[in-house]
Amino acid sequence: MEHKLYYKDPYITSFWTEVIDTGKDNSGRDFAVLKETAFYPTGGGQPFDTGIIDGVQVIEIEEVDGEIRHYLERPVEKKKVHGQVDWERRFDHMQQHSGQHILSAAFEDLFDMETVGFHLGKEFVTIDLDTPELEEKVAQEAEKVANKIVAENRPIIVKWVDAEEAREYPLRKELSVEENIRLVMIPDFDYGGCGGTHPKSTGETGPIKILGWERQRKKIRLEFVCGQRVLKQLQAKQTIIRELSGILNAPEGKLPEAAEKLVQNGKSLDKEVGEAREALIRMEAEKLVTDEPANFYCKAFEGRSLQELQKLAKFAISFNQKAVFLLVSNDGERLQVVCGRGENAEGNMKDTLTNALSLIEGKGGGNEAFAQGSGKMLISPEELLRCLKTSLEA
Ligand SMILES: [Zn+2]
């Protein structure tokens, strides 16, 4: 344990030591082993440290069979070197980690909700609470108590003990090791075994803010941030709010109202546009059958949806029950086809369509009087119309 400087003092960021071993892992990454190190390796839910060793960037730290491997951008020699831990990253981890201890303890003490999972992510921290439901007021109360513990600036004490001594403390969970037990304690609040790095008092954790939660199987996954991350989140949210405020031309407190109004406006506009479009199609259909009185209509269009073609055909049929309508549209990617006829016209529209669709690898359906479908642009709309006509006359 002597070589683990981060246990001796988690505030060591700069140190001189010796490279005692070097090597490459299976994927060819260079690593160095140091006589002692302040770089924390991935473990106990806490991510590894980064920094610089002898001027070379540290990419990852891993403990492999008791050996702490410092993966480096390029190899270093076996010699005396200087190590510099990226303190911003490490202190952030210390804040999130201790915040997790405090928040988990609050949920357990107040509501008997045990933490059964923990993840310290790049932006957010999550814990899994062993409960199927979480009410807003319960989350708020736990957050309040956690922040009270922070404000009281209680010491966070680390103590190495053996199994017998460990039994003297009210530990939350069974210990995972039998010897060299590292207890992390916040007096009269939280006692447990932990291998991570922590600040020396709860105050350094900074504020603890729950951001949200969702159900994950029978548990609740709760997302939160601590310390500097709270400021970062607040800044990000402020930027979004300010932008929204400008876009919606409303003060912060009136944003939901303004957004709701906008959505409702959009919905009624959509409805109006839909109705107007339908009226236009109806007029178009009426004009078609009035301008060119016939019993057979074959028309190719550009850029019209299948839905639009269907409407056009239905209106046209309503104006001329004696006619057959074969309509095709090319929307740039696919061919849309509609075959429809009036009550007093003849022909099997479904068969007519099916024959034509086979030429364009299309799919569709319908009945004897009305059928529609679409397929690939394997032939021109005009060619497809000719095929439909031939098929109908056959
Ligand atoms: Zn811990």
Side-chain angles (χ1 to χ4, degrees):
M1 288 294 165
E2 279 300 298
H3 63 298
K4 295 181 176 176
L5 298 177
Y6 49 84
Y7 277 163
K8 214 181 252 179
D9 177 359
Y11 291 86
I12 296 175
T13 60
S14 170
F15 61 104
W16 282 96
T17 185
E18 250 176 76
V19 175
I20 51 171
D21 198 11
T22 59
K24 281 183 193 291
D25 71 354
N26 294 336
S27 56
R29 291 190 305 168
D30 288 293
F31 68 83
V33 180
L34 308 180
K35 194 174 173 201
E36 59 263 299
T37 184
F39 288 98
Y40 183 80
T42 304
Q46 187 178 326
F48 58 87
D49 286 342
T50 58
I52 306 279
I53 293 171
D54 196 31
V56 181
Q57 181 66 42
V58 176
I59 302 161
E60 195 184 342
I61 317 275
E62 228 179 20
E63 189 164 0
V64 183
D65 301 327
E67 182 182 78
I68 298 172
R69 291 181 173 181
H70 303 71
Y71 291 98
L72 302 166
E73 239 172 28
R74 54 189 158 83
V76 291
E77 286 168 37
K78 281 189 202 172
K79 60 168 186 178
K80 193 175 172 189
V81 290
H82 180 257
Q84 182 74 46
V85 175
D86 179 341
W87 179 243
E88 204 180 309
R89 178 180 162 94
R90 157 69 86 68
F91 189 62
D92 169 59
H93 292 162
M94 282 159 68
Q95 285 189 317
Q96 310 315 314
H97 189 132
S98 54
Q100 182 263 313
H101 277 271
I102 298 167
L103 190 60
S104 285
F107 271 109
E108 195 171 332
D109 283 356
L110 294 168
F111 305 108
D112 214 16
M113 292 176 182
E114 199 189 330
T115 293
V116 291
F118 161 51
H119 178 72
L120 205 173
K122 224 171 177 173
E123 283 188 63
F124 307 109
V125 189
T126 62
I127 50 173
D128 293 337
L129 294 170
D130 194 10
T131 172
E133 304 275 352
L134 184 61
E135 280 177 53
E136 179 73 39
K137 63 173 197 280
V138 165
Q140 277 180 16
E141 186 58 24
E143 183 185 275
K144 195 174 146 193
V145 168
N147 279 293
K148 186 171 160 277
I149 298 293
V150 170
E152 285 169 6
N153 200 22
R154 297 195 195 182
I156 300 177
I157 300 159
V158 176
K159 199 173 179 191
W160 292 91
V161 296
D162 56 26
E164 201 186 321
E165 204 183 341
R167 274 190 285 274
E168 291 169 22
Y169 295 97
L171 304 180
R172 277 185 201 281
K173 280 184 184 149
E174 294 228 356
L175 294 165
S176 54
V177 285
E178 285 290 311
E179 51 194 14
N180 277 335
I181 300 161
R182 188 166 178 266
L183 291 186
V184 175
M185 305 176 278
I186 300 168
D188 303 322
F189 184 64
D190 189 42
Y191 298 83
C194 183
T197 56
H198 312 81
K200 59 186 176 298
S201 61
T202 60
E204 285 184 48
T205 299
I208 297 171
K209 184 76 200 109
I210 294 173
L211 298 174
W213 58 89
E214 57 181 16
R215 204 189 291 199
Q216 289 256 337
R217 289 185 196 95
K218 284 175 180 173
K219 296 177 176 50
I220 293 290
R221 179 156 292 174
L222 183 98
E223 193 174 73
F224 65 99
V225 282
C226 309
Q228 280 297 324
R229 291 192 188 192
V230 175
L231 284 181
K232 214 177 139 197
Q233 280 296 316
L234 185 60
Q235 182 56 52
K237 290 186 196 316
Q238 273 306 107
T239 305
I240 292 169
I241 286 172
R242 209 181 304 127
E243 267 180 45
L244 272 181
S245 205
I247 293 168
L248 297 175
N249 192 25
E252 202 177 308
K254 298 263 185 205
L255 281 181
E257 205 180 300
E260 177 66 32
K261 206 170 142 192
L262 195 71
V263 169
Q264 288 308 332
N265 273 353
K267 277 184 189 164
S268 64
L269 274 179
D270 279 351
K271 203 177 155 226
E272 275 174 40
V273 168
E275 283 165 3
R277 195 170 280 159
E278 192 152 326
L280 271 178
I281 293 175
R282 191 175 187 276
M283 278 167 70
E284 186 186 354
E286 192 174 7
K287 193 169 183 302
L288 177 74
V289 295
T290 321
D291 285 2
E292 315 163 26
N295 285 336
F296 187 70
Y297 295 85
C298 239
K299 289 266 165 197
F301 300 93
E302 282 284 328
R304 303 191 83 158
S305 69
L306 185 60
Q307 203 192 8
E308 237 180 278
L309 281 193
Q310 280 174 284
K311 274 192 181 151
L312 183 62
K314 280 189 175 153
F315 278 128
I317 290 165
S318 74
F319 292 122
N320 185 354
Q321 292 286 357
K322 285 184 197 155
V324 171
F325 296 86
L326 304 179
L327 312 180
V328 172
S329 173
N330 147 27
D331 69 0
E333 288 177 4
R334 291 174 71 79
L335 287 174
Q336 319 291 344
V337 196
V338 170
C339 307
R341 66 162 168 81
E343 281 172 24
N344 307 323
E346 290 192 351
N348 188 325
M349 298 300 113
K350 198 180 173 188
D351 290 350
T352 304
L353 176 87
T354 311
N355 287 339
L357 283 182
S358 65
L359 300 170
I360 55 169
E361 296 177 21
K363 276 183 183 166
N367 53 41
E368 262 187 42
F370 200 94
Q372 65 284 311
S374 68
K376 293 180 184 168
M377 295 262 303
L378 300 175
I379 53 177
S380 73
E382 289 73 22
E383 234 173 304
L384 184 62
L385 275 178
R386 270 198 298 278
C387 297
L388 284 166
K389 206 175 157 195
T390 316
S391 163
L392 181 68
E393 284 164 353

